[in-house]
Amino acid sequence: MGWALLLAKRAAIGAMIGIAVSDELVSLARMQGSSMEPTLVAGKSLMEGDVLLLDKFPGHDFGFSRGDVVVLRSPHEPQYWMVKRLIAVEGDMLRVPGKRELVQVPKGRCWVEGDNANVSLDSRNMGPIPMALLKARVTRVVWPLERFGRVESILPTGRIVAHGERPIR
């Protein structure tokens, strides 16, 4: 009976550590929606599509970089999560695709876009969003195995006209 109690205690401690790591450092998520195709692929069912490794640590100090693929709360429907590419941060002046206008990103805000512009609901529709909505960086596709690999941080060329105080990393 003593070994069963010891095993139960170790399992409980392991579960608590696992939950803490999942809540604070990393977690897995399944890609839904087509706004990030072809970079990330959504499935038509629960068992299809990319499974993503999320690094939640950058969110603690706003350590996100331009070009990162990020997970954020929807500004209009906070019960939903969105996956987008971080294009610009506060103080940046950027060109809006398909328009002749320049936008300066206000303090505490950022500009995010989906890689699949034809279907993405993003800053092109909503304008700059609060930086505090960013919760994690997508670092890898871990499933399916044939797509296993790093998710690259890529900033589209020619979009940033002038930089704010935060340097491009």
Side-chain angles (χ1 to χ4, degrees):
M1 181 80 108
W3 65 269
L5 183 58
L6 180 62
L7 182 62
K9 283 182 181 179
R10 287 187 178 171
I13 290 170
M16 287 187 276
I17 291 171
I19 290 169
V21 166
S22 176
D23 283 349
E24 296 298 323
L25 299 177
V26 297
S27 64
L28 298 174
R30 181 169 300 284
M31 183 63 195
Q32 297 180 341
S34 56
S35 70
M36 285 302 295
E37 289 181 354
T39 306
L40 302 173
V41 178
K44 303 213 184 318
S45 73
L46 194 57
M47 298 307 293
E48 296 176 332
D50 290 347
V51 175
L52 312 172
L53 180 65
L54 309 180
D55 175 4
K56 295 181 177 182
F57 192 69
H60 293 285
D61 65 352
F62 296 110
F64 298 102
S65 298
R66 296 169 186 89
D68 284 349
V69 176
V70 296
V71 177
L72 61 136
R73 287 263 182 209
S74 168
H76 299 298
E77 298 180 75
Q79 71 271 27
Y80 294 108
W81 294 95
M82 304 170 78
V83 178
K84 305 294 176 194
R85 190 172 299 279
L86 179 61
I87 303 297
V89 296
E90 66 180 54
D92 286 352
M93 181 78 69
L94 74 138
R95 286 188 173 86
V96 179
K99 298 181 181 178
R100 293 179 167 243
E101 66 180 298
L102 295 176
V103 173
Q104 183 160 20
V105 180
K107 183 175 175 119
R109 299 202 166 239
C110 63
W111 188 274
V112 296
E113 296 178 3
D115 287 358
N116 187 353
N118 294 331
V119 299
S120 182
L121 178 62
D122 53 35
S123 290
R124 291 173 282 208
N125 314 99
M126 301 180 285
I129 63 155
M131 192 78 178
L133 294 177
L134 276 60
K135 300 301 180 189
R137 176 185 12 238
V138 178
T139 60
R140 296 191 178 280
V141 173
V142 296
W143 187 263
L145 290 178
E146 61 269 13
R147 289 188 41 80
F148 181 88
R150 183 181 162 106
V151 174
E152 297 298 325
S153 179
I154 301 168
L155 184 61
T157 57
R159 296 293 306 286
I160 306 295
V161 177
H163 306 295
E165 293 179 19
R166 291 183 57 179
I168 290 184
R169 298 195 270 166

